[in-house]
Amino acid sequence: LKNKDICINFGEEKFMNNCDKGEAEVKGCLYFTISKLFRIVNKVAEESFSKMDICPTHGFLMVLLQEDEEGLSVNKISETLTIAPSTVTRFVDKLVSKGYVERIKVGKQSFTKITKEGKKIMPEVYACWGDIFKKVESMAGEKEYMNNVAKVITEFAELMEENQKNL
């Protein structure tokens, strides 16, 4: 494959398309469309969490930890958030420095657990998530439409993740 052949065009029947035809092709390219959607939603999410001085993934990590009182291993967090273990470690380090989570050693295993201070800020974390959903829903224009698109995107991501294992 050449660079110009790697675009997946979802606006037509064909899946391989020559991407050097300019803006029309970029707008029809799955890769660029997904990237564009991520940048738009990520900007909204980062703005919502900026007042807490944590990123959205930190907030979601805290939600996971709040739901599991025993704590979670780096590997479990990595699998759940689909991020590298080294990234999990970096995120946990930031949350430890803020006093929101702690590392607990049990034998040879290490777990990350939410602290009392972390539990205190959870209403603010949930408020940030609520703010994100309200803004995205407002941008989408219709809640039912947004929910349908979210369902299709989720199914597509799960399909791609499963099939990636077979490559």
Side-chain angles (χ1 to χ4, degrees), residues 14-162:
K14 55 189 169 180
F15 294 102
M16 298 300 282
N17 204 348
N18 185 339
C19 285
D20 58 35
K21 291 183 182 175
E23 187 177 343
E25 291 299 324
V26 169
K27 287 183 177 179
C29 180
L30 182 61
Y31 171 79
F32 286 104
T33 301
I34 290 171
S35 295
K36 179 180 179 180
L37 178 61
F38 171 78
R39 287 190 303 274
I40 292 166
V41 174
N42 192 56
K43 182 178 180 187
V44 170
E46 287 181 347
E47 288 171 356
S48 294
F49 274 94
S50 66
K51 58 186 168 260
M52 292 189 71
D53 191 34
I54 62 173
C55 73
T57 307
H58 291 134
F60 200 75
L61 172 54
M62 292 185 63
V63 169
L64 292 176
L65 293 173
Q66 183 186 27
E67 292 175 357
D68 196 315
E69 293 289 323
E70 302 297 314
L72 297 170
S73 69
V74 167
N75 285 341
K76 179 64 178 169
I77 295 167
S78 173
E79 289 171 17
T80 304
L81 297 179
T82 60
I83 57 178
S86 60
T87 304
V88 171
T89 300
R90 216 174 50 247
F91 286 177
V92 169
D93 288 345
K94 168 111 182 193
L95 294 173
V96 166
S97 74
K98 293 186 158 296
Y100 299 153
V101 304
E102 62 185 344
R103 288 187 176 94
I104 306 292
K105 283 262 193 196
V106 179
K108 292 184 178 183
Q109 293 188 329
S110 178
F111 296 91
T112 303
K113 190 174 178 179
I114 194 165
T115 62
K116 287 181 183 179
E117 189 64 31
K119 289 178 183 179
K120 284 182 192 175
I121 68 155
M122 288 310 294
E124 192 175 353
V125 169
Y126 284 112
C128 289
W129 282 113
D131 185 49
I132 294 166
F133 291 120
K134 284 179 196 166
K135 287 179 180 174
V136 171
E137 182 179 290
S138 172
M139 293 164 68
E142 195 178 306
K143 186 175 186 173
E144 185 178 341
Y145 174 73
M146 184 182 78
N147 289 338
N148 289 337
V149 169
K151 181 180 177 187
V152 169
I153 290 171
T154 300
E155 290 171 355
F156 181 69
E158 289 171 356
L159 175 69
M160 296 297 287
E161 183 178 39
E162 183 61 36

